[in-house]
Amino acid sequence: MLNKKSFVFFLLYINFAFGFQQQNKLSLLELFPVLESKFEVKFSYSEIDVKGVLVGEPKPSETLNQIIERLNATTDLNFKILDSRYIAVTTIDKKITVCGLVISGADGLPLMGASVVVQNASKGTITNIEGEFSLEQVGINQQIIFSYLGYETVVLNARDLRANETACKTIVLNEKNEALNQVVISKFLTTGLQKRIDGSTILNTEKFGVLPGLTEPDVLQSIQALPGVESVNESIANINVRGGTNDQNLMLWDGIKMYHSGHFFGLISAYNPYLTSKVEVTKNGTSSEFSDGVSSTINMFTKNEITSSFTGGFGANLIHADGFLEIPISKKLAFHVSGRRSFTDVFSSPTYDNYFERSFQDSELTTNSDNISESNRSSDFFFYDYSAKLLFDLNKNHKFRAHVISIHNNLDYNESYANNQGETESKTSNLKQDNLGFGGSWNAVWNTTFSTELTSFYSNYNVDAVDFRIETDQRLTQANEVLETGLKLKTNLKLNNTLNFLNGYQFSEIGILNATTVSAPSYDKTKKDVLLNHALFSELEFNNNRTYFRLGVRGNYFQKFSKFILEPRLNVRQKLGNQFALKLQGEFKNQSATQIIDFQDDFLGVENRRWILANNGSIPISESKQGSFGVEFSHNNLMVDVEGFYKFVDGITASNQGFYNNFQYVNASGSYAAKGVEFLVNKTTERFSTWLSYTYSVNNYEFKNITPSVFPNNVDIRHSLSMAINYNVSDDFEVSMGGIWRTGQPYTKPLEGNETVQDGNSVIVNYDTPNGENLDDFIRWDASMRYQFDISKGVEGSVRAGVINILNRKNSINRYYEVDPNDSDSTILINNTSLGLTPNLSLRVNF
């Protein structure tokens, strides 16, 4: 009997509770008259907007403002108090908070670093380490775009992502079918750096975090954070990858081969990062699609999608100002343009002074006229670059692109002096450096399994110098020009969900001109070489989420020499459980165009390297063989990577190594072998990322016709260590600090007791054993910060500050000797030093 009574009471309670709840819910159309009567106000609304909306009955103690706040928080309507009498109710400008969890459709794991952007607005964020995100003040009718490298883009209504008291929505992103080469580490070193399954590194400039010392996402400065990539003289025009020289790096910008990489003659990247969407860096195991860079491939891509919104940005630092625009012309047509120019010829900052001193410390600008009485010297330097891209989508399966890039450096050097008659005369020397490129592409998807891409490019590099030497009344004119055209057709056949088959053909024609003219005594020399290359390439790529391999081959035929070079490629990655993976990579590559140094004072001593073309004799085609094996551990956002490598490059010449020893003017060809181990440990959390990178390597030359035939490479850096930490103090404020330590590079001393020798009518330095000494260790600490803020609706600003070489340490980066002009039996030491303490500040506005 008791149980029956209990059951009856329970049913009555449930009925009462639900009835009470139903009684506390009423429609807005019923509520408005009650509130109007109680608070003496009037509601203005459209019945269509409010019809059917149920809300909780207000409590007797609630004020009008409390009721309005609750209605704004619990409905999709915007309640706005216009004055003491009227309240407007609309769906316009309704702002809500959205949140969610982004996961991979392949394994259900959270995706860290996924892009979450409000369409047609500058508002956005990236997912945290747990794949979560939150955005405030989002229009309820706006669209939210979710994207992640290698995954399909998803667009959802903000209304469907509204934050509530229970849980946030889960958003599933599915992998693209063609993305076998997927990302395995989404936050590598810092936000925007990602590591792919084939071992290459992706730099996404839009998401790029702060790196120590940098105030911009400088493309070529940033990649030096990777193990095995550094610049022994702090110049992005001299990037050394696993002991190679800079000319051994294949540099591509939207498929255009570039022969010039730096402004300020190597201190600033010549590629504007704000239209460059991503950069791929490959040190080994390169796809058979690419050749011509025996050390590495640096592949830059600009933004490639047509959007519906007009966006852009502009900014400035203490060296230059820049801007970019993304202009949608129609749903199928868009135009992107960017430009940058230094103001160093108008305004001189401390940053510019340090850069100038570093770039020109060993050139004729600082050494040429020291012995000329009443000489007055001045210099004027500026640079600019611009790029443009036209995007046309005929339909979703056929896309056409056309692009252009131009890079320019200009230096004027003026000397005024008193002649024998006491009159003042002046002569101006000039150095111009340009790289102009054009390119186009047609990407076609013929069906779900077969696609093609046709690309072509034209690249023209020029460096011209006019050098007036007033002490000898001599006019020296020098020129170096490279002109290359290329065509590539590649096909991709998707055999199944795990296997792709790539095939293609590539043609290139390269011509290089070198010219020198001297006025007194009269001398004129011009040399031009042309080389045609045909290549076929093919590769299979397999990925089943545990095993990845890419097996390829490339055949190159050099028509002028009737020479055929076969290049196999291998890239394997095998997962062992969920935490470990083994990596094996190998490649053969070749290169026909290299840089040499005829004389250290060529081109005013500022840019003394000139491009030359192989002749299959005294200048052979460079060929490389490289292999590497490594182990990778990844768990709880801790990544440890150990990789051993061996690289052999044959066909180098003594003249393209920049020797400061007895071999400086020797005509000889040889090889170098670099072997070593790279170690990296990287820990990331939602708020910080820290890493430590160490490389040990041994790098030796072998020139069989030189004694000694084996000696250390100019870039034989035995030990190199870098470390840094990035910390997000808040969502808007990020700081970074890090340091570099490496052993000094080799140099050659004069023979003690016999420092100079007679060579014909001149006296030269008598050098000892080549590269038998090492400079002091290189040590540098850098720091940066970034602060982001909203300026107005759709307009965001950011301030970045950075300091290079906080300790103001004078690091030696090069050392050589000259005959003492006052004592021909002695030498004087020339010591080139690194940048001193160099601050920089940048301000950007994006809309």
Side-chain angles (χ1 to χ4, degrees):
M1 191 69 178
L2 182 63
N3 289 338
K4 289 183 179 180
K5 288 184 178 180
S6 299
F7 182 69
V8 170
F9 276 117
F10 176 74
L11 290 178
L12 290 173
Y13 172 77
I14 294 296
N15 184 61
F16 174 79
F18 274 89
F20 181 78
Q21 288 180 7
Q22 292 297 325
Q23 291 170 3
N24 277 292
K25 289 284 186 178
L26 69 162
S27 71
L28 282 178
L29 292 176
E30 295 173 331
L31 178 62
F32 286 157
V34 175
L35 297 180
E36 287 175 342
S37 174
K38 181 177 180 179
F39 296 105
E40 298 183 352
V41 294
K42 291 289 292 181
F43 286 89
S44 174
Y45 55 89
S46 167
E47 189 170 331
I48 296 176
D49 292 337
V50 302
K51 187 176 181 180
V53 178
L54 298 178
V55 295
E57 184 178 343
K59 299 176 182 178
S61 59
E62 279 187 300
T63 65
L64 178 63
N65 285 338
Q66 289 174 330
I67 295 172
I68 296 301
E69 286 179 7
R70 179 166 57 82
L71 293 176
N72 269 322
T74 57
T75 71
D76 292 343
L77 300 170
N78 187 27
F79 291 79
K80 187 175 182 180
I81 300 176
L82 302 178
D83 52 35
S84 58
R85 175 70 173 164
Y86 291 98
I87 300 172
V89 183
T90 67
T91 59
I92 302 173
D93 293 332
K94 172 66 176 180
K95 302 295 183 182
I96 60 174
T97 296
V98 298
C99 66
L101 169 66
V102 181
I103 64 172
S104 168
D107 51 21
L109 295 178
L111 293 176
M112 179 181 68
S115 178
V116 184
V117 178
V118 181
Q119 192 174 48
N120 299 329
S122 60
K123 183 181 290 291
T125 186
I126 59 174
T127 55
N128 63 17
I129 201 168
E130 303 295 336
E132 300 168 339
F133 74 92
S134 177
L135 279 172
E136 298 178 349
Q137 294 295 304
V138 177
I140 195 167
N141 295 317
Q142 289 186 294
Q143 303 288 304
I144 311 296
I145 303 171
F146 299 88
S147 61
Y148 192 78
L149 190 65
Y151 286 76
E152 300 286 352
T153 298
V154 171
V155 181
L156 297 174
N157 291 321
R159 186 190 305 270
D160 299 330
L161 300 169
R162 184 172 187 163
N164 55 54
E165 296 179 358
T166 55
C168 295
K169 186 179 179 68
T170 298
I171 300 95
V172 179
L173 300 186
N174 295 314
E175 292 182 357
K176 292 181 179 178
N177 289 334
E178 67 273 18
L180 294 185
N181 190 8
Q182 66 194 56
V183 171
V184 293
I185 299 175
S186 58
K187 185 176 180 181
F188 179 58
L189 306 187
T190 186
T191 305
L193 272 176
Q194 299 173 323
K195 195 168 185 179
R196 294 206 306 192
I197 198 169
D198 69 348
S200 62
T201 303
I202 303 294
L203 189 156
N204 291 291
T205 55
E206 277 190 303
K207 304 176 184 178
F208 199 65
V210 175
L211 283 178
L214 301 185
T215 57
E216 290 186 329
D218 189 298
V219 171
L220 299 182
Q221 291 281 10
S222 302
I223 66 174
Q224 294 179 44
L226 306 178
V229 181
E230 57 191 339
S231 174
V232 295
N233 66 352
E234 290 188 319
S235 169
I236 54 92
N238 188 28
I239 293 178
N240 312 112
V241 179
R242 289 182 172 172
T245 54
N246 185 74
D247 60 331
Q248 295 173 352
N249 301 316
L250 173 63
M251 203 88 59
L252 298 172
W253 185 89
D254 262 352
I256 302 172
K257 185 178 177 182
M258 303 299 293
Y259 286 88
H260 177 54
S261 57
H263 287 314
F264 233 125
F265 302 100
L267 293 181
I268 302 171
S269 170
Y271 306 106
N272 193 322
Y274 298 106
L275 276 183
T276 304
S277 62
K278 69 175 181 178
V279 182
E280 296 180 1
V281 182
T282 307
K283 296 184 289 185
N284 192 13
T286 314
S287 167
S288 61
E289 178 185 349
F290 304 106
S291 189
D292 208 30
V294 295
S295 272
S296 74
T297 300
I298 302 171
N299 201 359
M300 292 166 277
F301 301 87
T302 59
K303 297 178 181 179
N304 203 44
E305 298 298 325
I306 297 176
T307 60
S308 59
S309 57
F310 174 82
T311 59
F314 58 89
N317 59 23
L318 299 180
I319 296 290
H320 64 259
D322 71 272
F324 73 94
L325 294 173
E326 298 176 40
I327 308 168
I329 300 173
S330 68
K331 291 184 178 180
K332 294 187 175 183
L333 188 65
F335 181 66
H336 297 173
V337 62
S338 73
R340 173 171 53 173
R341 192 192 189 280
S342 68
F343 42 74
T344 53
D345 50 336
V346 178
F347 169 72
S348 178
S349 67
T351 307
Y352 168 75
D353 292 338
N354 281 8
Y355 276 30
F356 188 92
E357 180 183 355
R358 161 64 186 83
S359 293
F360 306 127
Q361 63 182 303
D362 194 23
S363 67
E364 294 188 15
L365 276 66
T366 56
T367 63
N368 188 41
S369 303
D370 291 341
N371 62 333
I372 298 177
S373 178
E374 301 180 39
S375 175
N376 206 355
R377 293 175 293 170
S378 63
S379 59
D380 196 13
F381 170 75
F382 69 89
F383 65 80
Y384 65 79
D385 61 69
Y386 63 83
S387 64
K389 185 171 186 176
L390 188 65
L391 303 89
F392 173 62
D393 291 351
L394 180 64
N395 52 49
K396 68 177 183 178
N397 293 327
H398 293 271
K399 298 181 179 182
F400 298 85
R401 303 291 185 262
H403 30 263
V404 60
I405 183 172
S406 179
I407 300 165
H408 179 81
N409 285 279
N410 187 89
L411 173 66
D412 292 321
Y413 170 51
N414 183 271
E415 291 180 304
S416 300
Y417 66 101
N419 61 20
N420 295 332
Q421 289 75 36
E423 298 172 342
T424 300
E425 293 187 12
S426 65
K427 294 184 178 181
T428 300
S429 299
N430 174 264
L431 175 64
K432 291 182 179 179
Q433 193 175 34
D434 299 276
N435 201 160
L436 176 66
F438 298 93
S441 66
W442 169 30
N443 188 286
V445 178
W446 300 102
N447 53 48
T448 57
T449 62
F450 185 68
S451 63
T452 61
E453 185 178 20
L454 178 66
T455 60
S456 63
F457 76 88
Y458 165 92
S459 184
N460 184 213
Y461 168 79
N462 277 285
V463 56
D464 297 284
V466 178
D467 184 3
F468 283 101
R469 300 182 175 180
I470 63 178
E471 66 270 34
T472 59
D473 196 27
Q474 184 185 69
R475 182 178 185 268
L476 172 65
T477 303
Q478 296 175 301
N480 179 216
E481 180 180 7
V482 182
L483 194 155
E484 181 172 5
T485 54
L487 179 72
K488 182 192 292 185
L489 173 65
K490 62 178 182 179
T491 66
N492 191 74
L493 177 63
K494 180 184 175 184
L495 300 174
N496 53 50
N497 288 333
T498 61
L499 192 62
N500 275 354
F501 188 34
L502 175 72
N503 293 279
Y505 164 77
Q506 183 174 359
F507 166 78
S508 66
E509 180 183 25
I510 178 172
I512 297 182
L513 177 144
N514 278 286
T516 302
T517 303
V518 181
S519 61
S522 181
Y523 173 80
D524 189 355
K525 179 183 178 181
T526 301
K527 188 175 188 297
K528 184 176 181 179
D529 298 292
V530 179
L531 188 61
L532 277 67
N533 173 247
H534 303 266
L536 292 172
F537 55 89
S538 180
E539 70 182 24
L540 275 172
E541 186 179 32
F542 171 83
N543 184 14
N544 66 358
N545 291 325
R546 295 200 62 82
T547 302
Y548 172 85
F549 78 77
R550 187 171 63 203
L551 179 64
V553 65
R554 181 184 179 96
N556 303 275
Y557 178 71
F558 295 91
Q559 188 171 321
K560 185 176 182 180
F561 311 135
S562 299
K563 183 172 183 176
F564 180 78
I565 298 177
L566 190 67
E567 299 174 348
R569 309 286 174 85
L570 176 67
N571 197 316
V572 180
R573 186 178 191 271
Q574 177 64 51
K575 292 181 68 175
L576 304 177
N578 295 322
Q579 300 174 357
F580 287 92
L582 300 179
K583 303 178 295 179
L584 176 66
Q585 297 173 335
E587 65 179 24
F588 285 25
K589 296 173 77 176
N590 82 86
Q591 182 171 336
S592 58
T594 56
Q595 286 183 313
I596 65 168
I597 299 174
D598 280 342
F599 301 98
Q600 295 294 345
D601 60 351
D602 279 353
F603 301 104
L604 302 178
V606 176
E607 178 54 89
N608 53 16
R609 298 170 299 175
R610 60 174 74 210
W611 288 96
I612 60 168
L613 201 56
N615 58 19
N616 207 34
S618 60
I619 308 172
I621 295 175
S622 298
E623 297 184 54
S624 70
K625 300 177 178 66
Q626 184 178 184
S628 62
F629 177 77
V631 180
E632 184 180 289
F633 170 81
S634 182
H635 181 63
N636 286 340
N637 301 301
L638 172 68
M639 194 272 288
V640 180
D641 193 348
V642 181
E643 186 168 350
F645 67 89
Y646 176 83
K647 180 170 74 171
F648 177 78
V649 179
D650 192 22
I652 65 172
T653 62
S655 56
N656 71 4
Q657 299 304 303
F659 287 136
Y660 281 102
N661 53 37
N662 291 331
F663 309 143
Q664 186 168 343
Y665 305 113
V666 172
N667 184 15
S669 62
S671 62
Y672 75 83
K675 54 187 176 182
V677 177
E678 298 168 351
F679 171 81
L680 175 71
V681 56
N682 180 204
K683 173 65 177 177
T684 60
T685 68
E686 183 178 350
R687 285 293 182 188
F688 78 89
S689 175
T690 182
W691 71 88
L692 184 146
S693 170
Y694 170 74
T695 302
Y696 170 78
S697 66
V698 178
N699 190 352
N700 288 320
Y701 291 120
E702 183 175 6
F703 291 92
K704 294 182 179 179
N705 297 328
I706 291 177
T707 304
S709 60
V710 178
F711 55 95
N713 196 300
N714 287 348
V715 292
D716 179 30
I717 306 297
R718 295 295 172 96
H719 304 276
S720 180
L721 178 73
S722 66
M723 62 187 73
I725 182 169
N726 284 26
Y727 181 66
N728 290 81
V729 181
S730 66
D731 292 338
D732 301 321
F733 187 51
E734 182 180 4
V735 295
S736 179
M737 177 173 285
I740 302 170
W741 167 82
R742 61 172 179 257
T743 51
Q745 68 184 95
Y747 74 98
T748 308
K749 289 177 63 176
L751 186 63
E752 190 173 351
N754 188 19
E755 296 184 357
T756 64
V757 293
Q758 191 75 29
D759 182 29
N761 296 324
S762 60
V763 178
I764 62 173
V765 178
N766 184 27
Y767 284 100
D768 202 345
T769 304
N771 289 343
E773 306 290 333
N774 287 82
L775 298 174
D776 293 335
D777 292 355
F778 182 99
I779 301 174
R780 196 185 77 195
W781 285 94
D782 307 323
S784 293
M785 59 76 65
R786 177 181 63 179
Y787 176 69
Q788 296 177 294
F789 54 92
D790 292 327
I791 298 175
S792 63
K793 184 179 180 180
V795 181
E796 293 181 340
S798 66
V799 175
R800 292 185 184 229
V803 180
I804 297 174
N805 197 0
I806 295 174
L807 303 179
N808 198 27
R809 179 183 169 93
K810 294 295 182 182
N811 292 296
S812 295
I813 55 175
N814 192 24
R815 183 175 295 171
Y816 66 97
Y817 296 81
E818 291 183 347
V819 177
D820 189 340
N822 300 317
D823 182 3
S824 61
D825 293 328
S826 302
T827 59
I828 55 175
L829 183 150
I830 309 297
N831 199 50
N832 297 154
T833 58
S834 64
L835 277 171
L837 189 148
T838 304
N840 204 353
L841 182 70
S842 71
L843 172 65
R844 293 207 63 80
V845 175
N846 293 323
F847 54 87

